[in-house]
Amino acid sequence: MTATNESSVDSVVGMGDIELRVPAELRYLPILRSLAATIALREDFDLDFVADFKLAVDEAGSMLVTAAYPGAELVGRFR
């Protein structure tokens, strides 16, 4: 029998994926938005795309946070 070091998170998140978990509160959205922009810039997307991507992440996050139960987490996963 062999032991594996794979956690339940590793089995869901593939290699190269980036996942950020923050409390589902509006004050944490800038962190998620900043991560999205950084990833897009590092992947050589143009500045217009980066701005649109940040806006999309912010809008989606805002909708999810306002509908979230107290104590919930907001998970951002980027592939």
Side-chain angles (χ1 to χ4, degrees):
M1 190 168 14
T2 60
T4 63
N5 292 332
E6 186 173 297
S7 70
S8 62
V9 172
D10 293 334
S11 64
V12 174
V13 179
M15 293 298 291
D17 290 359
I18 298 173
E19 183 175 283
L20 175 67
R21 293 173 179 261
V22 295
E25 299 175 20
L26 289 173
R27 65 184 173 162
Y28 293 102
L29 285 181
I31 298 169
L32 189 60
R33 188 174 55 236
S34 177
L35 177 61
T38 300
I39 292 169
L41 286 169
R42 291 189 57 109
E43 293 298 320
D44 293 326
F45 286 100
D46 63 41
L47 294 178
D48 288 334
F49 177 87
V50 173
D52 290 343
F53 190 47
K54 282 174 54 176
L55 181 62
V57 168
D58 192 51
E59 288 180 1
S62 294
M63 285 189 283
L64 291 169
V65 164
T66 56
Y69 291 106
E73 279 187 328
L74 183 62
V75 180
R77 185 178 305 148
F78 302 91
R79 291 182 174 226

